[in-house]
């Protein structure tokens, strides 16, 4: 038996039994009346047979005579045909079961293509409120209101209201939905909804959980992971299309800012522009520094049109993109650098992208312990402010303060204390102070099997020819990131333990051929730069809604203040020398401030809208699993099946038709016609 | 309303002659006589004019005397005036042969009043008229259980009882033998006269062949088609709904739904059937009458048949 059959639910079995109990015997009785022919002797069947043949042998088409039976039968057929079409209509009917209201609050729902003064999300909330009002209306077609749940989702899902029969609670939950600039991901929302809709029978541990709910999705349909899911038995997805399919948008896909390596006071800004319109557009760009317009592009930037291509039988959408680099400009201070598209469209949020830049500062690097010459020479050659060799004893004696003096500590594993002070470390060998590495043996003759080429540590690093003669085999825990792995053990891992971040190289470079390769130098530079930049608000790390903003603060800092893009502030409490805030919901500039030794310290974060939200043209249908669900406009519709009513009408018509038919043939007590017995003939007629 | 369609018991059949024709009707029809549109020669001297010149008192014509003529019929007055012999010619009065053929097939034993009963009463009435006028009355029953049955050469009022008993003894039923019976009657004709066929003429094999045997063979032929009210207008007598109609003669079945349209079609076909018989009769100098069995015998004989010229 298929799951769909087991999930069959009879919403009103009593009504069905009542109708069947009345109509079926009545119909059968009528059929019995019809089928039982009475035997009647007649003088001759000659004329009767001839009459029947005459009736049948008439031409196939004859003049249509008005007949009540004909009208009734036509009506009956019309109702049956209507029922077969499975009509649905907004009758304000509550489903009687469970309804999950899923509201997309991603960045694209902030578009104002439907109404210039209201965003899609505001319209969706209004429609959802109307829908809830109808779901809780009790009328002829809704004997009892069902339960309603409210879930809002973007990067993550949030249950704003578990299943309830309280209309007021549901409406309040809908009102609490706030917009975000995040991406559309519905998987968490579906998982949450299913967690509530799955009902298990506690009395019967062997019973299968029963599920079933109508999922009403208010969205523009641009949901990245909807196709990866599938409807389960009993579930029904109603996609309430919110937005126009032909809505067009152009915006900034990405932004980055870099200081010149030779002149740190000079900064360059790079932007990637995106066009979702089917025709190319041209737009001016403004460069904003701390919110003030610094420059404008000398001529409009052209962005090609978006296109849909068909590859391997599937349509692939490719937005038009263009890259633009602003000329270097002097920015000796920390601050925010932004780019604005000077062009009005339905989604203003992605017309501005901002990055926070720190003041130009060179790194201070400490070399702790007996590092081999290869490491020492490479570190000394890096463009850092200073690279100081510190003995293991001095580093251990300095404790936390010693670590705070340096941005990056390059150390041999044996030179580090058992309890590592907060800081960022590049360690050769396996240090005891980093938990979760679990060294267990020494492995020899290792080659690289896998590597995470996309990681900043391995940028432009080729490890194909790396051969390691001897390395410490470790079994890192799940919270440790393996960057380079040999067959039997990771060779380079990244471990984060609160305020401690360590890049651990599990072998001595001199036990390998790495120092003789160009990739070693590049790796060292990447590691020092990446570890050092972790503390800076450098533009290299771009934030998006859903991210958690963190800042490293000195131990002893009790409170920090977060300034949100709208100017409001929130107090947060640092823990273990770090401040964490988020996940952030809206795009814009965030700032974390905390008291430091030299006065108030501040770190600025630029949060830009999520990728992929720039395509705001609403999808006319969505795919969930293999099922295609067409969007319905408006949110007030409470679709009810009309086919049972049509079927009931046809049954009633059938009974009426039978009644009329038999009434025509009831024996009427009419006086016998004595005269003119034959057509046109007297009672006695002769030649 | 007739109740024949309501499956009620058939009406009781008469057992006495006076149930066939009452005394009141006998008194009325005692003065009537059967009229033949043709003048036939009879076998015995009777009360009817014959084609042959004879010895009656009714003068017909003169003709010149030829050798061998009976001198008793010479008109001597004319001889005295003209001195030429002329013979007086008188119309001879002879008896008339009246043959009444009654259909006793199964289809006649149906209707309220029954067609067979009506035919018996009609045969008794006409036969009585024939008897009282000293005609040679012969009766025949065809289509019944015993095939063709005959009662020949009755004359005089005294034979009325015998004729009535013979009619009462007729048993309905059996298959249609119309053609064979008519052929037999035509071949065994005794003299010329009037032949009256009383039947419903609802014959599956058709009436044409049978009637051709007796038409124009010395008979002044009358076809009296008896139909009961239930046949004439079934809807008015309760025929509605779904039926399995069973033929009274051959047990043939027909499943019908007696809708108004079908009944109307039946009536049209019945009308066409009767019209066909009437046309057939006109072409062969026969007389045709359609008679509703609910018609009073007085009215039928004294008015309609007198008006149509069968009796006077």
């Amino acid at each position: 038996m298929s799951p769909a059959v087991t999930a069959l639910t009879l919403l009103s079995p009593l009504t069905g039994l009542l109708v069947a109990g009345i109509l079926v015997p009545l119909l059968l009785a009528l059929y019995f009346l019809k089928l039982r022919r009475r035997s009647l002797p007649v003088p001759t069947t000659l004329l009767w047979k001839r009459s029947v043949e005459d009736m049948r042998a008439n031409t196939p088409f004859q003049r249509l005579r008005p007949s009540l039976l004909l009208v009734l039968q036509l009506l009956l057929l019309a109702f049956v045909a209507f029922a077969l079409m499975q009509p649905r209509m907004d009758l304000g009917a509550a489903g009687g079961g469970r309804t999950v209201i899923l509201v997309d609050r991603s960045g694209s729902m902030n578009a104002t293509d439907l109404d210039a003064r209201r965003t899609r999300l505001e319209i969706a909330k209004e429609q959802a409120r109307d829908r809830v009002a109808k779901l809780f209306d009790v009328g002829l077609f809704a004997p009892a209101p069902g339960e309603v749940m409210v879930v809002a989702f973007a990067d993550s899902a949030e249950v704003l209201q578990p299943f309830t029969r309280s209309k007021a609670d549901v409406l309040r939950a809908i009102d609490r939905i706030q917009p975000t600039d995040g991406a559309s991901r519905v998987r968490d929302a579906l998982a949450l909804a299913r967690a509530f809709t799955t009902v298990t029978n506690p009395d019967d541990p062997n019973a299968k959980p029963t599920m079933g709910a109508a999922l009403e999705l208010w969205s523009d349909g641009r949901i990245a992971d909807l196709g990866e899911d599938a409807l389960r038995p009993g579930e029904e997805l109603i996609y309430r299309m919110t937005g126009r399919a032909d809505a067009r948008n152009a915006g900034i896909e990405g932004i980055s800012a870099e200081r010149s390596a030779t002149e740190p006071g000079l900064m360059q800004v790079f932007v990637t522009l995106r066009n979702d319109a089917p025709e190319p557009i041209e737009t001016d760009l403004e460069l904003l520094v701390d919110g003030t317009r610094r420059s404008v592009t000398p001529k409009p930037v052209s962005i090609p049109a978006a296109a849909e291509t068909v590859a391997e039988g599937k349509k692939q959408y490719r937005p038009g993109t263009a890259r633009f680099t602003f000329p270097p400009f002097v920015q000796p201070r920390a601050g925010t650098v932004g780019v604005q598209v000077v062009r009005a469209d339905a989604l203003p949020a992605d017309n501005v992208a901002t990055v926070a830049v720190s003041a130009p500062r060179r790194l201070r690097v400490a070399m702790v312990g007996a590092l081999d010459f290869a490491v020492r020479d490479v570190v000394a050659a890096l463009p850092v402010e200073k690279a100081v060799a510190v003995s293991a004893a001095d580093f251990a004696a300095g404790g936390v303060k010693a670590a705070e003096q340096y941005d990056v500590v390059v150390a041999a594993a044996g030179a580090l204390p058992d309890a590592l002070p907060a800081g960022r470390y590049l360690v050769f060998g396996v240090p005891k102070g980093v938990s979760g590495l679990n060294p267990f043996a020494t492995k020899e003759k290792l080659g690289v099997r896998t590597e995470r080429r996309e990681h900043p540590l391995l940028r432009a690093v080729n490890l194909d020819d790396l051969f390691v003669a001897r390395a410490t085999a470790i079994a890192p825990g799940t919270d440790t990131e393996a960057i380079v792995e040999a067959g039997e053990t990771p060779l380079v891992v990244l471990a984060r333990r609160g305020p401690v971040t360590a890049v651990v190289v599990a072998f001595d470079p001199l036990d390998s051929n790495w120092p003789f390769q160009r990739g070693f130098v590049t790796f060292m530079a990447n590691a020092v730069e990446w570890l050092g930049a972790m503390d800076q608000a450098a533009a290299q790390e771009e934030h998006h809604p859903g991210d958690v903003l963190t800042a490293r603060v000195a131990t002893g800092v009790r409170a920090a203040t977060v300034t949100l893009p709208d100017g409001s502030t929130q107090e947060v409490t640092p823990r273990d020398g770090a401040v964490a805030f988020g996940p952030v919901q809206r795009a814009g500039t965030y700032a974390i401030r905390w008291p430091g030794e030299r006065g108030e310290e501040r770190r600025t974060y630029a949060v830009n809208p999520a990728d992929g939200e720039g395509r705001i043209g609403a999808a006319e249908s969505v795919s969930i699993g293999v099922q295609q669900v067409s969007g319905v406009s408006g949110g007030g519709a409470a679709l009810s099946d009309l086919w049972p009513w049509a079927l009931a009408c046809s049954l009633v018509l059938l009974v009426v038709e039978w009644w009329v038919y038999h009434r025509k043939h009831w024996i009427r007590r009419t006086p016998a016609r004595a005269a003119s017995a034959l057509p046109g003939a007297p009672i006695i007629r002769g030649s | 309303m007739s109740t024949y369609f309501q499956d009620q018991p058939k009406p009781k059949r008469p057992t006495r002659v006076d149930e066939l024709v009452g005394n009141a009707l006998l008194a009325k029809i005692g003065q009537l006589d059967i009229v033949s549109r043709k003048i036939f020669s009879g076998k015995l001297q009777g009360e009817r004019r014959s084609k042959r010149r004879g010895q009656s008192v009714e003068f017909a014509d003169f003709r010149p005397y030829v050798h061998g003529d009976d001198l008793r019929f010479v008109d001597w007055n004319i001889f005295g005036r003209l001195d030429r012999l002329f013979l007086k010619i008188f119309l001879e009065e002879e008896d008339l042969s009246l043959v009444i053929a009654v259909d006793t097939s199964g289809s006649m034993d149906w209707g309220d009043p029954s067609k067979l009963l009506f035919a018996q009463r009609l045969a008794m009435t006409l036969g009585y008229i024939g008897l009282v006028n000293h005609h040679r009355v012969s009766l025949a029953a065809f289509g019944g259980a015993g095939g063709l049955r005959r009662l020949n050469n009755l004359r005089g009022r005294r034979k009325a009882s015998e004729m009535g008993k013979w009619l009462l003894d007729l048993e309905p039923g059996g298959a249609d033998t119309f053609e064979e019976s008519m052929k037999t009657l035509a071949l065994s004709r005794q003299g010329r006269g009037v032949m009256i066929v009383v039947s419903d003429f609802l014959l599956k094999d058709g009436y044409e062949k049978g009637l051709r045997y007796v038409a124009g063979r010395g008979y002044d032929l009358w076809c009296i088609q008896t139909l009961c009210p239930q046949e004439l207008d079934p809807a008015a007598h309760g025929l509605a709904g779904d039926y399995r109609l069973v033929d009274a003669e051959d047990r043939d079945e027909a499943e019908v739904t007696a809708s108004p349209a079908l009944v109307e079609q039946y009536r049209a076909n019945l009308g066409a059937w009767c019209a066909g018989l009437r046309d057939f009769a006109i072409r062969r100098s026969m007389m045709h009458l359609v008679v509703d069995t609910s018609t009073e015998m007085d009215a039928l004989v004294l008015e309609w048949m007198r008006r149509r010229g069968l009796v006077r």
Side-chain angles (χ1 to χ4, degrees):
Chain A
M1 187 180 288
S2 69
V5 175
T6 56
L8 180 67
T9 304
L10 296 174
L11 295 179
S12 54
L14 284 179
T15 308
L17 287 175
L18 190 66
V19 171
I22 293 173
L23 289 183
V24 170
L26 197 57
L27 201 62
L28 288 175
L30 289 173
Y31 264 96
F32 277 123
L33 285 177
K34 164 72 179 171
L35 293 175
R36 209 176 66 182
R37 289 183 185 274
R38 282 185 288 168
S39 180
L40 182 69
V42 291
T44 178
T45 54
L46 171 71
L47 295 176
W48 287 109
K49 282 193 168 180
R50 189 171 290 184
S51 302
V52 172
E53 286 168 6
D54 287 346
M55 294 282 285
R56 288 176 183 164
N58 279 338
T59 53
F61 298 101
Q62 59 180 345
R63 187 170 62 86
L64 196 64
R65 296 174 182 172
S67 164
L68 180 59
L69 278 177
L70 176 66
V71 172
L72 288 172
Q73 286 161 0
L74 286 176
L75 269 175
L76 190 151
L77 286 178
F79 271 110
V80 170
F82 188 58
L84 287 175
M85 290 177 189
Q86 298 193 6
R88 286 180 157 192
M89 194 176 169
D90 180 8
L91 297 173
R98 295 181 152 200
T99 305
V100 180
I101 292 179
L102 295 164
V103 180
D104 183 0
R105 57 174 176 178
S106 63
S108 59
M109 290 295 282
N110 296 318
T112 54
D113 54 329
L114 291 173
D115 187 339
R117 287 175 296 182
R118 293 190 302 166
T119 65
R120 290 175 175 177
L121 182 64
E122 289 168 338
I123 294 170
K125 286 167 65 177
E126 183 183 322
Q127 292 176 353
R129 277 192 291 268
D130 292 345
R131 171 66 177 145
V132 168
K134 292 194 173 180
L135 280 175
F136 282 95
D137 275 347
V138 177
L140 174 64
F141 294 91
E147 291 182 310
V148 179
M149 176 180 181
V150 181
V151 179
F153 68 94
D155 296 289
S156 59
E158 182 183 3
V159 177
L160 296 170
Q161 177 62 54
F163 278 117
T164 181
R165 294 184 188 274
S166 166
K167 178 181 175 183
D169 287 349
V170 174
L171 292 178
R172 275 196 293 272
I174 292 173
D175 289 339
R176 285 204 305 274
I177 298 174
Q178 294 297 321
T180 73
D181 290 311
S184 287
R185 291 191 181 86
V186 78
R187 199 161 198 169
D188 291 348
L190 289 177
L192 277 173
R194 283 165 181 162
F196 282 83
T197 56
T198 304
V199 181
T200 54
N201 184 356
D203 299 329
D204 184 3
N206 297 323
K208 292 182 179 178
T210 57
M211 293 181 287
L215 307 173
E216 301 203 11
L217 173 65
W218 271 268
S219 173
D220 52 16
R222 303 297 178 194
I223 303 172
D225 56 350
L226 185 60
E228 300 167 8
D229 217 313
L231 286 179
R232 296 186 180 173
E235 286 183 348
E236 180 190 14
L237 180 67
I238 302 167
Y239 165 43
R240 307 218 178 271
M241 177 177 163
T242 311
R244 293 174 52 177
D246 59 348
R248 296 170 181 181
N249 179 44
I252 297 173
E253 176 102 336
I255 182 171
S256 66
E258 283 188 4
R259 291 186 180 279
S260 168
T262 53
E263 292 184 54
L266 284 180
M267 176 165 278
Q268 256 190 317
V269 176
F270 312 91
V271 289
T272 303
L273 304 168
R274 172 190 176 116
N275 176 24
D276 286 291
E279 64 274 356
I281 61 168
E282 289 189 339
T283 180
D284 288 319
L285 300 177
E286 287 181 350
L287 177 67
L288 308 173
V289 176
D290 293 332
T292 306
R293 186 183 301 114
R294 175 71 68 91
S295 68
V296 181
T297 49
K299 61 178 183 180
V301 178
S302 178
I303 314 175
E308 264 191 342
T309 58
V310 179
E312 298 177 356
K314 288 186 177 179
K315 282 186 178 178
Q316 287 188 335
Y317 176 77
R318 294 173 62 89
T321 55
R323 291 185 175 83
F324 184 78
T325 305
F326 282 91
F329 60 94
V330 177
Q331 176 60 24
R333 306 181 309 276
T336 58
V337 176
V339 175
Q340 180 165 12
V341 174
V342 189
R343 189 172 187 275
D345 57 25
L347 185 62
D350 67 345
N351 290 349
V352 180
T354 312
V355 288
V357 294
S358 61
R361 182 165 70 95
R362 291 194 169 182
L363 299 175
R364 294 163 295 174
V365 180
M367 293 179 286
V368 180
L371 292 166
D372 55 56
F373 71 94
V375 175
R376 282 201 314 272
D377 290 352
V378 170
V379 172
L382 291 176
V384 295
E385 184 179 329
K386 61 178 181 180
V388 182
V390 181
S391 68
D394 291 344
F395 185 79
V400 175
K401 286 192 176 178
E404 287 180 351
Q405 287 176 359
Y406 304 100
D407 297 308
V408 179
V409 175
V410 181
L416 291 176
D418 290 348
L420 281 183
R424 296 166 294 281
Y425 299 87
L426 172 59
V427 187
F428 292 91
V430 180
K432 295 179 181 174
V434 179
S435 62
L437 293 178
N438 307 323
F440 62 92
T442 301
K443 297 286 183 182
E444 296 181 344
K445 299 178 182 178
L446 302 170
V448 176
R449 177 165 294 181
T450 59
E451 61 197 71
R452 290 185 52 191
R453 291 179 184 275
E454 78 284 359
H455 199 277
L457 288 173
L458 298 184
R459 189 167 55 198
V461 176
N462 186 353
L463 297 174
D464 292 346
D465 298 329
L466 175 62
F467 175 77
V468 179
R470 188 182 306 107
T472 305
I474 56 176
T478 54
D479 54 349
T480 303
E481 211 175 335
I483 307 297
V484 179
E485 286 189 84
E488 302 169 0
T489 178
L491 295 176
V492 179
V493 297
L494 172 61
R496 297 175 192 260
R497 300 287 182 272
V500 174
T501 303
V503 175
V504 177
V505 180
F507 58 92
D508 187 340
L510 290 184
D511 288 338
S512 70
N513 61 349
W514 208 11
F516 307 102
Q517 296 178 4
R518 190 167 50 192
F520 178 68
V521 179
T522 312
F523 172 79
M524 291 294 291
N526 286 346
V528 170
E529 185 181 353
W530 183 74
L531 287 168
M534 289 181 69
D535 192 35
Q536 301 179 15
Q540 309 311 319
E541 196 169 1
E542 194 179 359
H543 293 282
H544 293 291
D547 290 351
V548 176
L549 306 181
T550 58
R552 188 168 154 247
V553 299
T555 42
V557 174
R558 302 283 182 191
T561 306
V562 180
T563 305
L564 276 61
D566 58 0
S568 61
T569 58
Q570 286 187 19
E571 295 293 325
V572 291
T573 304
R575 286 184 181 173
D576 299 330
V579 175
F581 176 77
V584 293
Q585 301 293 339
R586 300 305 308 266
T589 304
Y590 292 75
I592 300 178
R593 290 175 290 132
W594 67 92
E597 290 182 352
R598 294 167 289 185
E600 184 182 79
E601 293 197 39
R602 174 192 177 93
R603 184 171 168 184
T604 309
Y605 303 84
V607 179
N608 292 319
D611 293 339
E613 291 298 304
R615 187 185 180 190
I616 63 170
E620 292 176 342
S621 65
V622 295
S623 297
I624 178 163
V626 296
Q627 192 171 345
Q628 191 89 3
V629 180
S630 296
V632 289
S633 298
L639 298 179
S640 295
D641 279 325
L642 289 186
W643 66 264
W645 299 97
L647 207 58
C649 288
S650 59
L651 283 175
V652 170
L653 274 175
L654 190 66
V655 173
V656 172
E657 189 259 343
W658 272 102
W659 180 76
V660 170
Y661 175 79
H662 282 279
R663 190 172 179 274
K664 287 181 75 171
H665 294 119
W666 282 347
I667 297 168
R668 291 181 290 268
R669 288 192 170 274
T670 53
R673 280 172 279 183
S676 66
L678 287 176
I683 187 169
I684 300 171
R685 192 184 59 183
S687 55
Chain B
M1 186 179 89
S2 170
T3 55
Y4 200 85
F5 288 111
Q6 312 272 329
D7 299 332
Q8 290 198 358
K10 294 180 180 179
K12 187 181 175 185
R13 296 182 58 195
T15 55
R16 300 198 314 271
V17 176
D18 56 357
E19 291 180 45
L20 289 177
V21 53
N23 291 329
L25 181 59
L26 289 178
K28 290 177 185 174
I29 63 177
Q31 307 302 320
L32 295 178
D33 188 9
I34 300 293
V35 177
S36 170
R37 292 172 300 155
K38 303 171 184 176
I39 298 175
F40 300 114
S41 57
K43 290 196 168 185
L44 299 173
Q45 191 171 11
E47 295 183 345
R48 186 168 189 78
R49 284 191 308 182
S50 168
K51 193 165 68 175
R52 289 187 296 192
R53 302 298 181 261
Q55 299 173 354
S56 72
V57 294
E58 191 169 353
F59 173 75
D61 204 352
F62 292 100
R63 72 169 171 81
Y65 174 80
V66 294
H67 183 72
D69 282 341
D70 190 347
L71 292 176
R72 288 179 295 175
F73 299 113
V74 173
D75 191 337
W76 298 109
N77 292 328
I78 292 177
F79 179 75
R81 289 201 300 274
L82 303 176
D83 199 18
R84 291 180 62 184
L85 288 172
F86 281 91
L87 214 64
K88 285 193 289 185
I89 301 173
F90 296 92
L91 287 177
E92 190 171 35
E93 291 183 339
E94 295 179 344
D95 63 341
L96 182 71
S97 175
L98 175 62
V99 179
I100 302 173
V102 179
D103 184 0
T104 57
S105 64
S107 65
M108 291 292 286
D109 187 24
W110 200 87
D112 183 19
S114 162
K115 290 190 284 185
L116 178 61
L117 175 61
F118 187 84
Q120 287 172 309
R121 296 180 63 198
L122 182 58
M124 183 67 200
T125 305
L126 294 176
Y128 181 78
I129 294 174
L131 290 178
V132 297
N133 287 286
H134 297 284
H135 297 313
R136 186 154 35 88
V137 177
S138 296
L139 295 177
F142 61 92
L148 180 63
R149 297 173 60 194
R150 304 182 66 169
L151 180 64
N152 289 331
N153 302 327
L154 303 178
R155 283 174 70 96
R157 193 187 301 263
R158 290 173 300 173
K159 296 291 184 179
S161 176
E162 182 184 352
M163 183 177 67
K165 288 177 181 173
W166 186 86
L167 285 171
L168 289 173
D169 289 341
L170 293 180
E171 284 296 330
D176 166 38
T177 58
F178 182 72
E179 182 182 341
E180 288 298 317
S181 301
M182 290 300 112
K183 184 178 178 181
T184 306
L185 285 175
L187 293 175
S188 60
R189 177 175 64 86
Q190 295 178 342
R192 302 180 177 229
V194 176
M195 181 173 181
I196 300 169
V197 180
V198 184
S199 171
D200 56 8
F201 290 97
L202 298 176
L203 308 170
K204 285 189 176 174
D205 294 333
Y207 47 76
E208 292 87 350
K209 286 184 179 176
L211 289 180
R212 278 196 196 104
Y213 281 115
V214 291
R217 294 204 176 194
Y219 285 125
D220 182 12
L221 189 62
W222 286 74
C223 299
I224 299 180
Q225 187 176 11
T226 55
L227 296 174
C228 65
Q230 293 79 15
E231 281 177 310
L232 292 167
D233 195 354
H237 293 83
L239 185 71
D242 302 305
Y243 290 99
R244 188 173 59 253
L245 303 180
V246 182
D247 194 302
E249 295 183 3
D250 58 7
R251 314 308 295 174
D252 179 36
E253 293 185 349
E255 290 196 343
V256 299
T257 297
S259 63
L262 182 72
V263 171
E264 208 55 39
Q265 182 66 41
Y266 163 82
R267 295 186 72 223
N269 285 343
L270 178 62
W273 185 268
C274 296
L277 177 58
R278 186 187 64 212
D279 294 343
F280 183 85
I282 289 172
R283 282 199 298 273
R284 285 160 181 78
S285 300
M286 296 184 286
M287 294 297 286
H288 172 238
L289 278 179
V290 179
V291 182
D292 186 341
T293 59
S294 62
T295 310
E296 292 296 329
M297 195 58 68
D298 303 32
L300 176 65
V301 176
L302 297 174
E303 291 183 24
W304 286 99
M305 289 192 170
R306 181 180 277 179
R307 193 179 300 173
R308 300 299 298 171
L310 178 61
V311 296
R312 64 179 178 186

